[in-house]
Amino acid sequence: VYFLIGSGSGGSANLGFGSLVTTFLPGELQLVPDACDTVPSAMLSEFLPGTLKQASPPLNTGANTECTWTLDSPPTYRVLQVQLVAYSPSALYGNGSATVVAEENYASSEQGFAKPGAKSGEPSATVTELAGMPGGSDTSAFEATQVFSRNGATTDVADVLVRYRNVVVTVVVDGLDQASGAKKYGPVAMSDLSTAAKTVAREVAGKIVG
């Protein structure tokens, strides 16, 4: 059971300062699963076949968890990152509810991919709305794909973000194409990275949907 916790009284959320929501609404999540436990080993082996290095220590505050796996086995270099964030109520966003906070952060991320800041150094992403994620009408999802070319190397990146109520799941899969240097990597097919990111995102989102 992954903490589908409401206001604690089982009734409506506590409303303060007029109509401002100051506590979690029923069905919103206060804690999320450990990101390192959300991806089955068989799925890791499918998309990152080989000996993996896991970032240590992973981030895990209960409401914000992150895990990163890296495969460095020429000609293949892949990185998979999974993050889950359960947003809390905040008077800085709309009516203050945790879900509205998540919605606005999710929308801001999508806008940032489509139109990155002039000084960000990032290329504009191809953004695609996604359907079929767990959670039905409580869920929104999109994919953003980018290609970075730096110092003679190309990195293809596929990001998938899924918002379920007040939780945002982010899955990032990237691959390196590098023809020079001591280690040579590539080629990379964006379609492979995209498939991996969407499959993992669907799996992780399923862990938080009640």
Side-chain angles (χ1 to χ4, degrees):
V1 178
Y2 282 118
F3 305 100
L4 293 175
I5 300 174
S7 63
S9 64
S12 61
N14 176 40
L15 301 179
F17 307 104
S19 61
L20 188 67
V21 178
T22 59
T23 63
F24 287 92
L25 296 171
E28 294 179 335
L29 285 74
Q30 297 186 40
L31 299 173
V32 290
D34 187 333
C36 294
D37 296 333
T38 58
V39 186
S41 58
M43 189 171 289
L44 288 173
S45 297
E46 178 183 358
F47 296 120
L48 287 80
T51 302
L52 304 182
K53 180 179 179 181
Q54 185 174 313
S56 179
L59 171 68
N60 187 350
T61 67
N64 186 353
T65 73
E66 183 178 323
C67 200
T68 302
W69 298 266
T70 301
L71 171 65
D72 185 352
S73 180
T76 303
Y77 187 91
R78 295 285 186 276
V79 180
L80 167 63
Q81 297 173 293
V82 174
Q83 183 182 32
L84 300 90
V85 179
Y87 287 92
S88 298
S90 172
L92 299 177
Y93 297 86
N95 69 359
S97 75
T99 294
V100 167
V101 176
E103 288 173 343
E104 295 205 18
N105 277 275
Y106 170 89
S108 177
S109 294
E110 187 170 13
Q111 178 68 15
F113 279 114
K115 296 181 179 180
K119 297 182 179 180
S120 69
E122 294 193 8
S124 297
T126 299
V127 179
T128 306
E129 301 295 328
L130 299 176
M133 291 291 174
S137 61
D138 288 326
T139 302
S140 303
F142 72 86
E143 177 185 37
T145 56
Q146 294 169 291
V147 178
F148 296 81
S149 296
R150 295 171 180 167
N151 302 319
T154 300
T155 303
D156 293 73
V157 184
D159 290 76
V160 173
L161 274 69
V162 182
R163 183 197 61 80
Y164 173 72
R165 295 181 179 172
N166 66 312
V167 175
V168 174
V169 173
T170 302
V171 175
V172 185
V173 183
D174 63 66
L176 177 63
D177 191 342
Q178 178 177 279
S180 61
K183 293 183 178 181
K184 295 178 175 58
Y185 301 98
V188 178
M190 183 66 85
S191 58
D192 292 342
L193 306 183
S194 174
T195 295
K198 287 184 285 190
T199 302
V200 172
R202 189 173 294 107
E203 175 72 20
V204 176
K207 301 289 177 65
I208 62 172
V209 174

